[in-house]
């Protein structure tokens, strides 16, 4: 009796399996047909996208068509910037590793003058919130672009490249070089002259790496730029250690 029940159950399971497989195939076929139909007129679809993108965004306060300005040209209300702006766009400089520090500083000061929350104390709550968020964003963009390492890492990020944690991707020769340099710093911890010599040497290395990173980005060699930025991270860490020693020893340059 148990054996017969088992056979009946097995047959029922097979029938159910065939039924559900048929249903799934029918649904896949129906979906494929609907997708095909939706692609019959690609020109119409692209025209809709073009028609939509041709309309400029509107001011949240007076509904006046805007471009990409921070302030509405009609009611002067502060506007939310487009989401696809990167830090170079925000500050208003060309996307390049070689930036003009003076130009970045000048444009940053101008932006902060326009966006500082103190200017919006009597404005609407929305403008106050926009002022705070935009001011914070400008600060972040400025601090990133002003430092070669942060700027380089950000440019890697714009190319969807990140530097992995740890030292697994580093060359053994380079790791040995860093270890020896750290040992040299340890031995020189009480020697003012030696600490200064190491500082000068390390800064020279950082200057050379900055030039190499610049060349790599100019030639669109992102992997090479990544390699040099990894090295720069280590030498900047050494720079911080040497500066701390300099401070501890009371060294004045």
């Amino acid at each position: 009796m148990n054996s017969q029940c088992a056979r009946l159950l097995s047959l029922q399971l097979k029938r159910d399996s065939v039924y559900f497989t048929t249903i799934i195939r029918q649904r896949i076929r129906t979906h494929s047909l609907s997708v095909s139909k939706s692609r019959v007129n690609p020109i119409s679809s692209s025209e809709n996208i073009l028609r939509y993108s041709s309309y400029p965004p509107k001011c949240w306060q007076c509904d006046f068509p805007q471009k990409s300005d921070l302030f509405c040209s009609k009611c002067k209300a502060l506007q939310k910037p487009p989401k696809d702006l990167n830090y170079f766009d925000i500050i208003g400089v060309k996307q390049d590793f070689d930036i003009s520090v003076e130009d970045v500083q000048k444009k940053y000061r101008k932006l902060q003058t326009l966006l500082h929350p103190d200017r919006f104390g009597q404005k609407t709550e929305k403008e106050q919130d926009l002022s705070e968020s935009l001011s914070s964003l400008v600060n972040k963009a400025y601090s990133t672009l002003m430092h070669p390492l942060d700027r380089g890492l950000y440019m890697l990020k714009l190319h969807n490249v990140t530097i992995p944690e740890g030292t697994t991707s580093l060359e053994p020769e380079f790791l040995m070089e860093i270890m020896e340099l750290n040992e040299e710093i340890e031995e020189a911890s009480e020697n003012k002259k030696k600490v200064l010599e190491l500082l000068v040497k390390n800064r020279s290395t950082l200057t050379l790496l900055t030039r190499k990173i610049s060349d790599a980005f100019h030639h669109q060699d992102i992997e090479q730029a990544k390699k040099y930025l990894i090295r720069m991270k280590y030498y900047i860490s050494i720079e911080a250690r040497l500066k701390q020693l300099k401070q501890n020893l009371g060294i004045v340059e």
Side-chain angles (χ1 to χ4, degrees), residues 125-159:
E125 185 177 348
K126 183 175 179 68
E127 282 185 277
Q128 290 175 20
D129 291 342
L130 281 172
S131 169
E132 288 183 10
S133 61
L134 280 170
S135 183
S136 175
L137 183 60
V138 168
N139 279 332
K140 177 69 174 175
Y142 175 74
S143 63
T144 299
L145 298 187
M146 284 295 288
H147 296 90
L149 176 61
D150 293 339
R151 184 166 68 248
L153 292 176
Y154 182 70
M155 288 183 69
L156 286 186
K157 185 178 178 181
L158 292 178
H159 285 87

